[in-house]
Amino acid sequence: MFRADGAFSGFAVDDLEAAHRFYADTLGLRVEVLEGSGFLTLHLGSGGRVLVYGKPHHEPASFTVLNFPVADVEAAVDDLRSRGVDTKIYDDADFPTDSRGIMREGGPLIAWFRDPAGNVLAVLDE
């Protein structure tokens, strides 16, 4: 019987070691290495988890694969930038963002950034 209990999401990367360093060291997430499997599990503060797997010839998704709700987008962007993360990833014709990469119109404040594999992540106003 189908059950949704314990469901989780996943996405691919081209370099598991680079992904591990980025998610653990740069973003500060707890990352579990599933030995011998070629998978990582990202443990989120909400209790959720995300499976990250290596994929040859990986092509990043053209959409946001992981969102981080934050109380203060501006402070989160400052923090990410201090860690070397670029938050100005879109041309303003695609998404009108300020010089720091924050979109201020058409929804909640949001800023996008990429992991080392090019996957799009975001911080957004909770």
Side-chain angles (χ1 to χ4, degrees):
M1 172 185 301
F2 173 79
R3 292 185 53 174
D5 298 351
F8 59 92
S9 182
F11 57 84
V13 297
D14 56 357
D15 183 335
L16 281 172
E17 289 180 20
H20 186 263
R21 285 190 305 274
F22 178 77
Y23 287 101
D25 300 339
T26 304
L27 298 186
L29 298 178
R30 185 167 71 87
V31 177
E32 179 183 1
V33 177
L34 303 174
E35 293 300 328
S37 68
F39 296 102
L40 304 173
T41 298
L42 307 180
H43 293 273
L44 307 176
S46 64
R49 58 196 164 109
V50 178
L51 183 70
V52 177
Y53 55 94
K55 179 181 175 191
H57 314 294
H58 165 72
E59 291 187 29
S62 60
F63 51 86
T64 307
V65 299
L66 186 58
N67 292 285
F68 295 93
V70 296
D72 185 339
V73 170
E74 298 213 21
V77 165
D78 289 342
D79 186 34
L80 287 167
R81 291 175 68 138
S82 75
R83 298 171 190 223
V85 176
D86 182 13
T87 56
K88 179 70 174 171
I89 67 169
Y90 289 121
D91 183 310
D92 289 338
D94 295 327
F95 293 100
T97 58
D98 66 16
S99 63
R100 297 170 58 219
I102 301 172
M103 186 176 76
R104 298 180 180 277
E105 297 179 16
L109 291 182
I110 186 168
W112 293 275
F113 58 103
R114 296 186 189 278
D115 74 2
N119 294 311
V120 178
L121 314 172
V123 289
L124 68 149
D125 204 19
E126 55 182 351

